[in-house]
Amino acid sequence: MANVVVVGAQWGDEGKGRLVDWLAGEVDVVARYNGGHNAGHTLVVDGTTYKLALLPSGLVRGKFGVIGNGVALDPEALLAEIGRVEQLGLSVTPENLAIAENATLVLPVHRAVDLAQEKLRNVPIGTTLRGIGPAYEDKVGRRGLRVCDLADIDALAEKLDALLDYHNAWFKGLGLEGFSRDSILPMLRDVAPRILPFVHPVWAYLNEQSDADKKILFEGSQAVMLDIDWGTYPYVTSSSTVASAAATGTGIGASRLGHVLGVTKAYSTRVGEGPFPTELDDEVGALLRETGREYGVNTGRPRRCGWLDGAQLRQSVKVSGIDSLALTKLDVLDGLKHIQVCVAYDVDGQRTTTLPASLAAQSRAKPVYERFRGWSQSVKGITSFCDLPAEAREFVKGVESIVGAQLSHITTGPDRKDTIVLQSPFADRASDATIYA
């Protein structure tokens, strides 16, 4: 199977960048297909930490990177990120990065709208205030600016006026100061010559690569439970995060996507507001946060932590068509006397194996747990399944049974090499799979 789609199977921050980095050695192209700089991927390579938000993670491994049309692109944020990674020795040029000409631009006005909208809500959603949602709103409203508009500044100026007229009417109604053309256009003039060399019809490039039997890795942002349709609405992101979004977000046919690899932690985390049935507001939750270093890559916000939600994970497997799962941060569970996994919910006295769509029902959902024995021996750095403590092996197999999907990778530490490979999405079986079976 030539291509692989990597998706988050929980509420984000599962370690997708780590898996993309691991798999990048076997592919030719890595393509981002959704989201913006509101989600970060952290890679640790030979002691150097790369914190990426817009750049495809495969660039760190010398692979050609693509930013697809499904991405909301803040040009200032992208150029700043390029500058940061270049200080770490990673050169980003048109020779190793292409940007879709029809990707949506995120502008300063979008950040202002994001902030104002969040303040107006009775219960904040917990947005990162990066302007991603308002940019997608403009895209759907057919008034947004796109990357290709940077090639004609005069025409862009007229489109910018129309966009600002729309938002300024809203600002005026709130008694807030609006934006003028002169407050944004100089920035666009400045970034245009630095962005345009990267701009291409990437849909054509990706299809050409696929026709030539090149391997493409599609890198997702956020996760299934933050999907605009399938997540815990309205506490979701503003784009589609399931695997099928890789097709619409890059311009390659859905039939060419290949293997779908979901990524999940050995426990659950969430940033911001919204339902979280297995959340632990106790010493165990605090331990998971500190041991797992559960703080936002870009925002530094502490993440909410809880037990693994197997029922939610099972749902993500189905709606995103996940073929195999990577289980990350197994080592964070070291030393716990017991570990719990949610297998169903109790909603008003009724047991259900699916998370309801209703926000009110989600808020009333109480987890039904299956308990596993913990382990005292550390799993940190273990690279073979048979070397895991017996209790850890029981937990892993229990997760597979609950979720209904086979595990392909298990990470046991922060470094790239701290990985157990059970099955490669590029092959039928891996060397350790026989032992695992």
Side-chain angles (χ1 to χ4, degrees):
M1 194 159 297
N3 302 327
V4 174
V5 184
V6 175
V7 298
Q10 298 172 299
W11 282 277
D13 310 307
E14 301 93 348
K16 296 180 292 297
R18 163 82 171 272
L19 267 295
V20 170
D21 173 58
W22 180 273
L23 297 171
E26 300 186 60
V27 304
D28 301 285
V29 181
V30 178
R32 278 283 313 274
Y33 60 83
N34 72 322
H37 66 303
N38 53 339
H41 292 173
T42 300
L43 307 179
V44 180
V45 182
D46 297 329
T48 300
T49 300
Y50 298 87
K51 295 185 177 182
L52 307 179
L54 284 165
L55 292 174
S57 299
L59 288 174
V60 177
R61 292 294 169 187
K63 304 300 178 176
F64 192 87
V66 165
I67 297 176
N69 57 279
V71 174
L73 184 78
D74 184 322
E76 293 179 295
L78 175 64
L79 292 173
E81 186 174 332
I82 290 174
R84 289 194 297 272
V85 299
E86 287 185 338
Q87 290 180 350
L88 297 174
L90 177 61
S91 177
V92 180
T93 72
E95 299 301 315
N96 62 359
L97 177 68
I99 301 172
E101 56 191 352
N102 53 338
T104 295
L105 288 175
V106 180
L107 306 174
V109 65
H110 294 131
R111 294 192 289 273
V113 170
D114 209 352
L115 177 61
Q117 287 178 340
E118 190 75 342
K119 287 182 176 180
L120 284 173
R121 296 184 177 103
N122 291 328
V123 180
I125 287 177
T127 171
T128 58
L129 306 179
R130 302 297 174 91
I132 309 302
Y136 279 127
E137 287 183 43
D138 279 347
K139 174 182 179 177
V140 175
R142 293 165 290 186
R143 58 182 170 268
L145 300 185
R146 304 194 296 174
V147 171
C148 57
D149 292 325
L150 294 172
D152 187 343
I153 293 295
D154 290 337
L156 179 147
E158 295 182 5
K159 295 178 181 179
L160 178 61
D161 285 341
L163 183 149
L164 293 179
D165 285 345
Y166 175 86
H167 289 297
N168 283 339
W170 185 76
F171 283 130
K172 184 177 180 180
L174 293 174
L176 301 174
E177 184 177 352
F179 285 75
S180 67
R181 173 196 286 196
D182 291 341
S183 67
I184 296 179
L185 192 59
M187 178 273 291
L188 294 174
R189 288 186 186 276
D190 177 63
V191 302
R194 292 188 281 167
I195 295 290
L196 288 172
F198 295 97
V199 179
H200 296 285
V202 299
W203 69 269
Y205 170 77
L206 291 174
N207 278 279
E208 289 170 359
Q209 295 298 300
S210 186
D211 289 341
D213 293 327
K214 301 294 185 180
K215 293 181 180 179
I216 305 170
L217 185 60
F218 297 92
E219 179 180 9
S221 180
Q222 286 96 24
V224 176
M225 296 310 294
L226 296 176
D227 184 87
I228 190 67
D229 287 305
W230 301 109
T232 48
Y233 188 91
Y235 299 98
V236 294
T237 192
S238 299
S239 63
S240 180
T241 60
V242 296
S244 56
T248 57
T250 62
I252 200 166
S255 62
R256 292 186 165 192
L257 292 181
H259 187 98
V260 179
L261 174 64
V263 186
T264 174
K265 288 175 183 170
Y267 50 99
S268 298
T269 65
R270 177 164 196 166
V271 172
E273 304 298 326
F276 186 2
T278 64
E279 183 173 11
L280 295 172
D281 189 18
D282 58 14
E283 65 278 3
V284 177
L287 178 65
L288 293 174
R289 182 180 302 109
E290 295 308 313
T291 306
R293 298 185 182 92
E294 296 297 349
Y295 297 89
V297 174
N298 290 315
T299 65
R301 291 189 298 179
R303 297 173 185 144
R304 300 156 63 189
C305 298
W307 295 122
L308 182 66
D309 191 336
Q312 167 269 306
L313 200 54
R314 185 169 57 239
Q315 198 162 321
S316 292
V317 167
K318 294 298 184 183
V319 301
S320 198
I322 291 172
D323 296 302
S324 67
L325 281 167
L327 185 73
T328 64
K329 293 194 170 184
L330 183 65
D331 55 302
V332 174
L333 302 181
D334 284 352
L336 294 175
K337 292 183 178 179
H338 68 267
I339 299 163
Q340 300 200 96
V341 177
C342 173
V343 296
Y345 309 102
D346 182 304
V347 182
D348 301 329
Q350 298 294 316
R351 179 174 172 134
T352 175
T353 57
T354 61
L355 189 63
S358 161
L359 178 63
Q362 289 174 359
S363 300
R364 298 196 304 273
K366 298 178 181 179
V368 177
Y369 286 116
E370 180 175 335
R371 177 176 289 203
F372 293 86
R373 294 180 300 162
W375 51 89
S376 56
Q377 174 190 345
S378 176
V379 304
K380 189 175 180 63
I382 290 177
T383 58
S384 177
F385 183 78
C386 62
D387 290 337
L388 290 174
E391 296 86 353
R393 296 198 300 270
E394 290 174 6
F395 170 74
V396 167
K397 291 187 176 183
V399 169
E400 281 191 325
S401 177
I402 293 167
V403 172
Q406 186 175 26
L407 296 184
S408 59
H409 299 76
I410 303 170
T411 73
T412 58
D415 198 85
R416 184 177 187 265
K417 66 178 183 297
D418 301 333
T419 304
I420 300 171
V421 181
L422 302 170
Q423 181 180 2
S424 169
F426 300 107
D428 291 335
R429 302 292 286 178
S431 59
D432 206 25
T434 302
I435 298 173
Y436 173 65

